[in-house]
Amino acid sequence: MVAVDGPAGSGKSTVSDQVAAALGFVKVNTGALYRCIALAGQRAGLSPDDELEMGAVARRIEIHFDGDRVFLDGEDVSQSIRAPEISSFASISSALGSVRSAILEEQRRLGRQEPGAVLEGRDIGTVVFPDADLKVFLTASPQERARRRHEQLKAQGEHHDLAELLEQIIARDARDRSRSEAPLVQAKDARELVTDGLTIDQVVDLIVSWAQEEQDP
Ligand code: DC
């Protein structure tokens, strides 16, 4: 089991996909679970910091993955959960203890899939799988992450102001790092990887070699 944690835009998703493919593992994007809960909450007209109601939504909804697609109560929401307003909503609602505890066991179940899983998120190495075989903490500078997000949205035909994206990333980082429930921190035994100036292939090769070392020390 490989845990890949780190802030938004560090390249976690792309890297985790390719690491999972190279190892023949399943990839699980835990952020998508928080985003589905945020989308359901927003649609229900809830406030993202409503501990009671958001917790109830998190326990009620059914989320499943089919390859790269994410389904919320049977509806394909892969695209809608990526909207910037859902990023902001999820950043607030994912700080709620009621929301986090609602999906903790589901994440553990997903992580135990055979022949192995790569779980990407914020607290996989610290809370969900403290005994993961390999923990990677992936980062990049806020400027680099904003630039990547800008490119990603552009490729999807969406145009957002780069300065605004940078501001959102800095605000989300601050929230994710300072919250009392499962803050974004590097696990003591995680390997930190700063990806500024590295290609995706370089990052993937490094993580795959670490994972192979763990399997076959
Ligand atoms: O990785 P992402 O940007 O798709 O995550 C969306 C939000 O969910 C983000 O604000 C952090 C939160 N999250 C979390 O708290 N714990 C996780 N394991 C994954 C994501």
Side-chain angles (χ1 to χ4, degrees):
M1 195 272 148
V2 178
V4 182
D5 290 305
S10 56
K12 264 181 316 177
S13 244
T14 313
V15 165
S16 303
D17 270 341
Q18 296 191 15
V19 168
L23 296 170
F25 284 9
V26 180
K27 200 237 22 195
V28 181
N29 172 359
T30 62
L33 297 170
Y34 289 99
R35 286 173 180 273
C36 282
I37 296 166
L39 181 64
Q42 193 218 35
R43 284 177 172 177
L46 299 179
S47 167
D49 59 1
D50 189 329
E51 179 90 53
L52 216 63
E53 292 295 330
M54 285 304 303
V57 164
R59 288 189 297 274
R60 186 170 65 235
I61 62 177
E62 190 269 330
I63 304 164
H64 73 266
F65 295 94
D66 184 2
D68 277 348
R69 318 301 300 171
V70 189
F71 295 81
L72 165 61
D73 290 331
E75 175 194 349
D76 186 346
V77 293
S78 319
Q79 196 76 31
S80 29
I81 58 167
R82 298 281 145 208
E85 60 274 20
I86 297 302
S87 302
S88 302
F89 196 113
S91 170
I92 300 169
S93 56
S94 65
L96 301 172
S98 59
V99 167
R100 304 201 74 83
S101 60
I103 56 169
L104 185 58
E105 280 313 313
E106 175 64 4
Q107 291 176 83
R108 291 188 172 146
R109 191 189 64 75
L110 290 165
R112 285 193 289 261
Q113 293 177 91
E114 293 298 333
V118 176
L119 250 66
E120 54 139 320
R122 299 289 194 287
D123 63 338
I124 307 304
T126 49
V127 177
V128 183
F129 280 99
D131 56 353
D133 303 318
L134 170 65
K135 301 179 185 181
V136 179
F137 195 79
L138 212 60
T139 64
S141 65
Q143 287 73 15
E144 173 71 11
R145 290 186 283 133
R147 194 191 58 73
R148 289 179 190 166
R149 189 66 89 186
H150 190 251
E151 290 297 307
Q152 202 179 29
L153 289 166
K154 204 163 89 182
Q156 292 164 7
E158 290 189 34
H159 293 273
H160 292 268
D161 186 49
L162 184 61
E164 231 169 74
L165 289 173
L166 178 60
E167 234 172 72
Q168 281 172 8
I169 282 184
I170 292 172
R172 283 180 64 190
D173 273 6
R175 271 201 301 272
D176 289 350
R177 286 178 198 275
S178 65
R179 66 191 185 189
S180 56
E181 281 289 331
L184 174 66
V185 284
Q186 182 174 342
K188 281 192 186 65
D189 50 351
R191 303 195 199 203
E192 187 183 17
L193 186 46
V194 183
T195 62
D196 284 51
L198 293 179
T199 65
I200 289 170
D201 284 353
Q202 286 172 324
V203 175
V204 170
D205 287 351
L206 203 53
I207 298 176
V208 168
S209 69
W210 289 342
Q212 284 163 347
E213 254 171 56
E214 292 299 330
Q215 282 174 340
D216 193 14

